[in-house]
Amino acid sequence: MDFEKRKAATLASIRSSVTDKSPKGYLDEPIIPLLETINHHPSYFTTSSCSGRVSILSQPKPKLNDSTKKKARGGSWLYITHDPADPDLVISLLFPSKSNQIDPPVDQPSELVFRFEPLIIAVECKDLGSAQFLVAVAISAGFRESGITSCGDGKRVIIAIRCSIRMEVPLGDTQKLMVSPEYVKFLVDIANEKMDANKKRTDGFGVALTSNGFKNPVANDVDEDDNYENLAGDHDLSINNGDLHPGFHQDLILLSKLSIVGETVEKLYLWGHSACTIDKPDRKEVIVFGGFGGFGRHARRNQSLLLDPSSGSLKLIAVNESPSARLGHTASMVGDFMFVIGGRADPLNILNDVWRLDISKGEWSSQRCIGSDFSPRHRHAAASVGSKVYIFGGLYNDKIVSSLHILDTKDLQWKEIEQEGQWPCARHSHAMVAYESQLFMFGGYNGENVLNDLYSFDVQSCYWKLEVISGKWPHGRFSHSMFVYKHIIGIIGGCPVSQNCQELTLLDLKHRMWRSVRLEFMNKELFVRTTASVLGDDLIVIGGGAACYAFGTKFSEPVKINLVQSVTMSENHVPQPEDVSIESNRNNADLKTETSLSQPWVIQLERKYAKFGKDILKKFGWLDLERKVYSNEKGLCICFPVTEKFSELFHEKQRLGEDKEGSEDDNLIKGLSLKDISSSAALNLLKEHGAKKLINVSFEAKKVAKSPVQRMREDITSVLKQKGLPEELLDELPQKWERLGDIVVLPATSFKDPAWRSISDEVWCAVSRSLSANRLARQGRVEANGTRDSTLEILVGDNGWVDHRENGILYSFDATKCMFSWGNLSEKLRMGNMACENEVVVDLFAGIGYFVLPFLVRAKARIVYACEWNPHAIEALRRNLEANSVSDRCIILEGDNRITAPKGVADRVNLGLIPSSEGSWVTAIQALRPEGGVLHVHGNVKDSDESSWGEHVTKTLSDIARAEGHRWEVIVEHIEKVKWYAPRIRHLVADVRCR
C-alpha cells in the first residue's frame, strides 16, 4: 500500500466512531488541533499520539533470577489523566480507608510507579526529506529528543516527536507503600509543573508548524472540512484560559515595573481605590484617591496621590479638606475637575456623597446635589461624557442596584433614567467606560452568577443594547478594570483569578471583534479591584489584590503595559469569527476579595460520598480552594472547606424547592448527571447524603507555590550563612530577568559586589536551580563602538549561541557577541506587515537580521540588500537566512554601508540604528530609485522634541535629496513610538515618503 492510501485509511479510522487500539479508545482532546494541522499537510499523517499524562501504573513485580526483568511486564493503570492531576484524588486512591481497601492476592504482588510522560507523536512521512524537515521544526520548538525511527529501502519513513521532561518514581507495592501522603502531594506538584511545561512546548510546536507553511484546518477550512466536527466532537478547540490555538502565534506581553521615587511605593499598595488621568501636553499624570491598604497598617485611605509614570515620581497632594476614607467609590474626570462619588467608609457606612477635586489648584470641595434621589452605594461603575457622569449599579448592604443615574456637573443635578428596552440586570463589581457618545459595560456579579455580558448605552437616545461581538468571548468576571485606547476597549484582571489573570482582552470597535494577548507577569500580580489608566501609548495599572483567609493580604506592584505592542500582537493573530454566547457563566461563585471568611466552615461527608459531594461543591463554586481537604472520624469522613456563600445557603434541617423522594441507593449517585441540576436540588442532595456543616477546627492552608524570586532568595541566604557573609548582599539579587532561548540573562546591576566572586560557583548553581535555567548569563552594556558588540557574560554553560523564535521567525546568534533588543518587537512586527511584495529593500544596519528577516519572511520582499560590518552579526545573519529558507532573496554586503550600499535600486530603505542613524541619511537617499520610495528612519528623541524631530527629518532629507539632484516631495507620513529608551527619551521611527 502506498503513502496516500495508508494516509487515507488512517485518517478514515481516526474520524470514525469506532474506538481505536489505545486503552482509552480515542484521541487525546488537548492535541486534536495539532494532529489536524499535521494531517492536513500532504506529506504527513499521524499514526499514534499522546498529549502527555500523569499516571500511576500497577505492574507485576519481577521474579527473582528472571533474565527478562528489563522487558515490559504489562500491568494496569490505577490512575491516569491527560490534565493536571488532582492531588486529593491521587492521595485518596493510594491511602483509602480500611473499609474501602481491597487487598490484592498474596501470590500476585504489584509494584506501583508514579509517572509523568510528555507528549509523543509518531508521524509517517512521505519521504526522507520531509521527515528531516519536520524533525528540525520539532527540535526548534523544544522537542529535542525527536528523530527518525524508521527508514531505508522499502521501509516506511516514521519519525517520533518527543522530549525528555518525563519522570518515574516507585511508590512501593500494593501490600506496602514506601511513601507518605505529603510526598505524594510533592510528586503531584512536580508532575503538574512538567505538564504545564509540556503544554507550552506543544503550543510552541503548533506555532512553529504554521510559521513553516503548515495550514491549520481549524482556522482556515472549518466550513469546508465536514469531518472535522466528527473528530472534535463537542470539545471547544478555541483559546481557553490563555492556551494557544495552533493556528495563531501569541507572544507574551511583558509588564514593566514602575520604579517609584518620592513617596514610598507602599502608598500605592491599594485596592478598591480610584484613578483618573491628566493628559495634557505639559502634564501627563495619574491621580489616585482612596482605597484599602497603603503604607503601614492597612486601612481605608483618603489620600490624594499624584503619579508621573514617565519619571516614577509619586507625590502626596497637600489638601486642607478631603473626602472621608473609603473604597469601592468611583472617580470621573470632567474638564479640570475630578468627581468622586459614593463608596464604603466602613461595613455599616455606605456613602452617596459627591466630592470635586480642582486639579489645577489641588483643592477638594463637597458638592450639594439636587434632583432625583441617589441612594448610597459602593462597587458601582461610572463614566463621563461631556459634562455628565453616568452611574450604573452597585451594592447597598445586601441590595444589588440596577438603576442608571446621571449627574450633570454643570448644575449638580441628579437624574434617574427610566428602565426600558434591553436593560441590564442588577449587578456590582462591574466596569464601564465611555467611547464617543456611548457607554460600554462588561461583567460583574448579580448575587448568584459571574456575568460576561457586554452592554452599550447611547447617551443621546438613552437606550441600552445587548452587544453581540465576533471573536472569542471573554470569560465572565467581576472586580476587573476597563479602559479605552484609540478605537480599542480593553479589559484586564478580575475574579475568578485563575481564568482572567494572564489575559489582556481587547475589543476592536472598528471591526467589532474580540482579540486577546497574554501577559507575562514578574511577580504574580493580582489585578483584582485595580485601576487601569491610559497615558499616551501606555496602560498604567495601579494596585489590586485581595484578602485571603489562608494567606493574608496581597497587593500588586504598579506596572505599565505597552499598548502599541499589545494591539499589534492581538491584530497579528485574529481568531476566526465564532458563535457568541452572552449567557452568564453560572459555574463561578462570588469570590470575596475585601474581607476574609467570618468562620472557616467545612462540610463533612462519608468517604463513599466524598467524590459526589466534591463534584457538587466545585460545580457551584462552593468549594474554598484556599484551604485543604482533610479526613475526620478516623478516616471514615472527608471534610471539604466551603465558601461563606455556601455556609449562608446550607441549613441541615431545611429543604429547598420541590421535595424530591430521597433514596439510600448508592447506585443512583453513580448514574446521576450534575449537568442540569439546580443549586437548590444540589443542596438537598447533600443533605440527603448526610452532609454536616462544621467549624474548621483543624484549619490548614494549602501550600503556596514559591515564586522564582523567593526560591532564589532562600537558596542564596543559605549560601551566605554557610560562608559567613553579610545578608546585605541580598539587596543585589535581581527582581527580573530576560530569557534568550534557554539562557536566563540577569541584569547588569545584579551580583556586583566583589564578595560574590569568592562564592561564585555556589551562587550561580543556586540561581540556575531557582530559575530553572540550563544556562545562566549576566547582561553587560552594549559596546559604544561602531559594531555595537554585546558584553554579555556566560556564568553557567559552555557558549552563548541561542535560538530565539519571535513572530514566527527563528533568530540564532551568539549572545556574548551580538546584541538583541526585546523592545523592538512591535516594530519588527510592523515591518513584517508592510506591503513589500515585488519590492527591493535596503537595510543599512542589518545586524543578525532584526528587520531583514521580517521583510523577507512576513512582508515577502522580492530582494533585500543587507549591509553590516560586524563579523559576528554577519555569521549569525547567514545562519538565520538559511534557517528561515530565505537566503536566495538576500544579498549580504559586508563593510561600511556608506561604501557598500547599492545606489538607485531601492523601493524602501530601513535605517534601524539608535541613538541616531543620521550618519547614513545621504546613503539612504542615494539607495532609493530615481522615482523615490520610503525611508524608515530610527532615532532616540526627547519626548518634548518629538514634533521638532519630525520637522528636522523632513527638512534634512529634503536638502539631501535636492543636493543629489532629485526634485522630490519629502513627507513624514507617520511617526511610530516604539518604546521608552530612557526617562523622557523615546525610540521613534519616522516613515518618510519621497516622491
Side-chain angles (χ1 to χ4, degrees):
M1 185 185 296
D2 60 19
F3 175 87
E4 282 74 20
K5 290 181 179 179
R6 286 195 300 272
K7 177 172 182 176
T10 301
L11 296 187
S13 66
I14 289 176
R15 291 167 175 164
S16 73
S17 59
V18 179
T19 58
D20 60 32
K21 296 180 180 179
S22 67
K24 187 169 62 171
Y26 52 90
L27 297 174
D28 294 345
E29 297 162 16
I31 57 168
I32 287 176
L34 179 61
L35 301 182
E36 277 292 284
T37 299
I38 296 173
N39 290 328
H40 195 70
H41 195 287
S43 297
Y44 309 100
F45 68 93
T46 58
T47 60
S48 64
S49 63
C50 175
S51 64
R53 64 193 180 198
V54 180
S55 65
I56 299 175
L57 179 65
S58 174
Q59 61 185 13
K61 297 185 75 171
K63 297 179 181 179
L64 294 175
N65 302 321
D66 186 355
S67 61
T68 64
K69 63 183 179 181
K70 292 187 178 181
K71 296 183 180 179
R73 291 176 264 138
S76 61
W77 278 310
L78 177 65
Y79 173 84
I80 185 167
T81 179
H82 296 271
D83 298 310
D86 183 346
D88 294 330
L89 180 56
V90 173
I91 291 171
S92 67
L93 289 170
L94 290 173
F95 302 91
S97 63
K98 290 186 177 180
S99 60
N100 294 333
Q101 187 169 350
I102 300 175
D103 294 322
V106 177
D107 59 341
Q108 293 183 0
S110 295
E111 286 182 340
L112 296 180
V113 181
F114 182 90
R115 289 179 167 181
F116 169 77
E117 296 161 283
L119 174 136
I120 182 168
I121 304 176
V123 183
E124 181 170 348
C125 309
K126 193 170 186 177
D127 50 48
L128 185 59
S130 300
Q132 292 171 333
F133 175 76
L134 187 54
V135 167
V137 174
I139 290 174
S140 72
F143 292 92
R144 301 187 182 277
E145 301 291 318
S146 301
I148 299 173
T149 60
S150 173
C151 66
D153 295 337
K155 291 186 178 180
R156 298 160 61 187
V157 181
I158 306 290
I159 70 168
I161 297 167
R162 57 196 174 194
C163 63
S164 60
I165 57 172
R166 59 183 61 87
M167 68 180 289
E168 184 168 317
V169 180
L171 303 176
D173 59 41
T174 49
Q175 294 178 340
K176 183 179 179 181
L177 291 175
M178 301 171 61
V179 294
S180 65
E182 291 75 18
Y183 185 70
V184 172
K185 171 68 166 55
F186 171 72
L187 293 178
V188 172
D189 289 344
I190 294 177
N192 287 343
E193 290 179 3
K194 290 180 177 289
M195 180 68 81
D196 183 60
N198 176 70
K199 182 186 177 304
K200 290 179 180 178
R201 292 193 188 191
T202 304
D203 292 338
F205 182 41
V207 172
L209 290 175
T210 54
S211 299
N212 283 280
F214 284 68
K215 292 184 178 180
N216 185 344
V218 182
N220 302 310
D221 301 323
V222 169
D223 294 331
E224 299 170 11
D225 189 353
D226 295 331
N227 291 322
Y228 185 74
E229 184 177 354
N230 293 331
L231 172 63
D234 296 327
H235 302 297
D236 179 12
L237 298 179
S238 57
I239 301 170
N240 187 20
N241 290 339
D243 296 347
L244 296 184
H245 198 292
F248 312 122
H249 180 59
Q250 193 167 24
D251 296 89
L252 292 175
I253 300 294
L254 182 64
L255 281 66
S256 302
K257 179 181 176 181
L258 289 175
S259 298
I260 302 300
V261 297
E263 296 288 338
T264 176
V265 69
E266 283 81 3
K267 290 193 174 181
L268 295 179
Y269 288 178
L270 301 164
W271 73 64
H273 55 291
S274 63
C276 289
T277 58
I278 304 173
D279 195 357
K280 297 183 176 183
D282 60 338
R283 190 179 180 189
K284 297 186 181 297
E285 296 168 309
V286 179
I287 305 175
V288 179
F289 173 77
F292 177 85
F295 181 69
R297 182 178 179 274
H298 297 151
R300 293 172 181 82
R301 302 291 179 180
N302 68 339
Q303 293 177 330
S304 307
L305 299 165
L306 203 59
L307 173 65
D308 182 347
S310 63
S311 65
S313 171
L314 180 65
K315 301 177 183 177
L316 182 65
I317 301 176
V319 294
N320 295 326
E321 181 185 21
S322 69
S324 60
R326 66 189 68 199
L327 79 164
H329 56 284
T330 58
S332 305
M333 288 297 295
V334 179
D336 288 336
F337 300 100
M338 181 175 80
F339 287 83
V340 166
I341 300 174
R344 192 170 88 159
D346 59 60
L348 299 178
N349 186 13
I350 312 302
L351 306 171
N352 66 343
D353 53 351
V354 177
W355 285 78
R356 187 184 74 177
L357 174 65
D358 186 329
I359 63 171
S360 60
K361 300 178 181 179
E363 294 179 355
W364 282 103
S365 58
S366 177
Q367 307 296 297
R368 298 189 61 181
C369 302
I370 59 175
S372 302
D373 180 56
F374 179 73
S375 61
R377 67 193 67 197
H378 66 115
R379 291 176 175 255
H380 50 287
S384 60
V385 179
S387 64
K388 297 179 179 179
V389 179
Y390 296 78
I391 304 282
F392 184 87
L395 186 63
Y396 177 49
N397 294 331
D398 294 330
K399 181 183 179 182
I400 302 176
V401 183
S402 63
S403 62
L404 175 64
H405 283 77
I406 303 175
L407 175 64
D408 191 328
T409 60
K410 289 182 178 179
D411 56 12
L412 295 176
Q413 181 164 324
W414 281 111
K415 177 183 178 182
E416 183 175 359
I417 301 299
E418 183 178 351
Q419 295 192 12
E420 56 182 336
Q422 295 180 316
W423 198 272
C425 68
R427 66 190 66 203
H428 68 78
S429 306
H430 49 296
M432 186 167 69
V433 294
Y435 176 76
E436 296 180 347
S437 63
Q438 285 186 302
L439 309 178
F440 287 87
M441 181 174 71
F442 182 84
Y445 184 70
N446 68 0
E448 293 184 1
N449 305 313
V450 179
L451 306 174
N452 69 338
D453 49 3
L454 176 70
Y455 280 89
S456 64
F457 179 80
D458 190 306
V459 301
Q460 296 173 349
S461 66
C462 289
Y463 267 84
W464 284 104
K465 178 185 177 184
L466 183 61
E467 294 286 352
V468 178
I469 306 293
S470 61
K472 185 179 184 299
W473 200 268
H475 296 292
R477 67 191 74 195
F478 61 93
S479 297
H480 53 288
S481 302
M482 293 179 71
F483 61 89
V484 176
Y485 173 68
K486 298 180 180 178
H487 61 280
I488 302 291
I489 289 178
I491 304 173
I492 188 170
C495 286
V497 174
S498 60
Q499 291 182 338
N500 303 308
C501 68
Q502 281 194 298
E503 188 174 69
L504 176 62
T505 302
L506 304 173
L507 171 56
D508 186 332
L509 292 174
K510 283 186 178 179
H511 302 95
R512 295 186 64 79
M513 171 78 74
W514 287 113
R515 312 179 194 275
S516 65
V517 292
R518 295 182 68 205
L519 302 174
E520 181 171 352
F521 293 120
M522 300 172 295
N523 192 30
K524 295 188 180 296
E525 286 78 6
L526 189 61
F527 292 152
V528 176
R529 304 190 75 182
T530 186
T531 58
S533 308
V534 175
L535 269 179
D537 293 321
D538 290 323
L539 180 67
I540 311 302
V541 184
I542 296 174
C548 172
Y549 186 87
F551 309 125
T553 304
K554 158 75 176 176
F555 293 101
S556 295
E557 300 270 356
V559 298
K560 68 178 178 180
I561 302 171
N562 184 281
L563 290 174
V564 174
Q565 184 181 6
S566 302
V567 172
T568 303
M569 284 186 180
S570 71
E571 291 174 347
N572 191 47
H573 46 82
V574 182
Q576 298 298 311
E578 58 186 32
D579 294 335
V580 177
S581 170
I582 55 164
E583 186 177 339
S584 298
N585 181 352
R586 300 184 180 274
N587 296 334
N588 295 311
D590 186 10
L591 301 183
K592 302 293 183 181
T593 60
E594 183 183 331
T595 58
S596 59
L597 299 177
S598 57
Q599 285 282 10
W601 294 102
V602 298
I603 284 293
Q604 177 178 288
L605 284 163
E606 290 183 52
R607 182 178 286 274
K608 63 182 178 179
Y609 300 133
K611 177 67 167 62
F612 169 71
K614 184 178 181 181
D615 289 343
I616 287 181
L617 295 174
K618 290 180 72 173
K619 171 179 171 59
F620 293 97
W622 295 333
L623 185 65
D624 184 352
L625 300 177
E626 305 296 348
R627 291 183 283 145
K628 281 189 174 183
V629 177
Y630 64 93
S631 61
N632 205 356
E633 304 290 339
K634 297 182 179 180
L636 298 178
C637 295
I638 302 296
C639 295
F640 295 100
V642 292
T643 63
E644 187 178 21
K645 182 72 174 179
F646 177 84
S647 66
E648 294 170 356
L649 294 173
F650 186 85
H651 303 283
E652 294 167 30
K653 296 182 180 180
Q654 176 185 346
R655 293 178 58 82
L656 302 174
E658 182 182 353
D659 190 15
K660 295 186 178 180
E661 184 179 350
S663 173
E664 299 266 334
D665 187 357
D666 295 347
N667 291 325
L668 287 180
I669 293 178
K670 297 178 181 178
L672 181 64
S673 170
L674 299 179
K675 184 176 181 181
D676 301 317
I677 193 173
S678 67
S679 59
S680 59
L683 290 169
N684 288 336
L685 282 170
L686 289 173
K687 294 166 190 171
E688 289 170 4
H689 292 89
K692 296 180 180 180
K693 186 170 73 171
L694 307 172
I695 293 178
N696 191 174
V697 293
S698 61
F699 169 76
E700 185 178 2
K702 284 189 175 180
K703 183 179 178 182
V704 184
K706 294 179 181 178
S707 70
V709 172
Q710 291 172 314
R711 293 199 301 266
M712 184 197 310
R713 191 175 187 88
E714 290 179 0
D715 291 348
I716 298 300
T717 299
S718 177
V719 173
L720 293 178
K721 288 181 178 179
Q722 291 176 7
K723 300 297 182 179
L725 294 174
E727 290 193 7
E728 286 76 9
L729 289 171
L730 294 173
D731 294 338
E732 293 190 359
L733 296 189
Q735 299 299 309
K736 60 181 181 179
W737 47 86
E738 296 177 348
R739 285 188 182 269
L740 288 175
D742 66 339
I743 299 181
V744 170
V745 182
L746 305 177
T749 54
S750 61
F751 301 104
K752 297 301 290 182
D753 193 290
W756 294 111
R757 298 173 190 167
S758 62
I759 55 171
S760 58
D761 291 343
E762 296 93 333
V763 168
W764 303 143
C765 180
V767 174
S768 300
R769 183 172 60 249
S770 62
L771 302 185
S772 301
N774 294 325
R775 291 185 287 172
L776 188 69
R778 182 166 51 197
Q779 189 62 269
R781 294 186 177 276
V782 175
E783 290 282 8
N785 54 15
T787 56
R788 291 176 58 78
D789 295 329
S790 168
T791 57
L792 183 134
E793 174 190 5
I794 295 293
L795 305 173
V796 176
D798 298 329
N799 63 72
W801 276 97
V802 295
D803 293 336
H804 173 68
R805 185 170 292 278
E806 187 178 274
N807 296 328
I809 297 171
L810 181 64
Y811 294 89
S812 295
F813 57 98
D814 187 340
T816 65
K817 297 175 181 176
C818 300
M819 55 83 67
F820 188 88
S821 173
W822 293 90
N824 295 342
L825 175 64
S826 62
E827 182 61 11
K828 285 180 274 189
L829 189 62
R830 191 173 77 96
M831 291 297 103
N833 289 331
M834 292 288 173
C836 296
E837 294 86 351
N838 299 319
E839 282 192 357
V840 174
V841 179
V842 173
D843 191 333
L844 294 179
F845 305 96
I848 67 170
Y850 310 108
F851 296 102
V852 170
L853 295 170
F855 280 129
L856 290 169
V857 175
R858 299 182 65 88
K860 308 300 182 184
R862 178 161 59 90
I863 193 167
V864 174
Y865 290 89
C867 302
E868 179 55 48
W869 63 7
N870 183 337
H872 305 301
I874 291 173
E875 180 185 3
L877 176 59
R878 294 188 192 279
R879 281 197 189 192
N880 295 331
L881 292 171
E882 291 289 342
N884 291 280
S885 303
V886 290
S887 58
D888 58 327
R889 292 189 285 127
C890 183
I891 299 173
I892 298 176
L893 302 172
E894 300 183 39
D896 190 330
N897 61 39
R898 291 167 294 188
I899 300 171
T900 63
K903 297 182 179 180
V905 300
D907 300 289
R908 188 181 303 269
V909 178
N910 190 59
L911 298 98
L913 179 66
I914 54 174
S916 175
S917 59
E918 193 163 354
S920 292
W921 287 6
V922 172
T923 306
I925 291 291
Q926 292 173 343
L928 288 176
R929 295 162 58 87
E931 311 86 81
V934 176
L935 306 176
H936 301 292
V937 182
H938 292 238
N940 283 349
V941 184
K942 290 184 178 179
D943 56 359
S944 58
D945 297 339
E946 290 178 11
S947 58
S948 60
W949 180 74
E951 295 170 359
H952 168 70
V953 170
T954 302
K955 183 179 184 306
T956 304
L957 290 175
S958 296
D959 293 344
I960 293 172
R962 194 177 304 110
E964 293 294 325
H966 299 299
R967 301 180 62 185
W968 288 343
E969 178 187 26
V970 178
I971 300 173
V972 174
E973 294 185 327
H974 171 72
I975 294 182
E976 181 73 12
K977 298 175 181 178
V978 178
K979 63 179 184 291
W980 287 106
Y981 183 82
R984 297 193 177 278
I985 303 292
R986 268 196 202 272
H987 175 184
L988 302 179
V989 179
D991 296 341
V992 183
R993 175 77 64 178
C994 303
R995 57 191 172 193

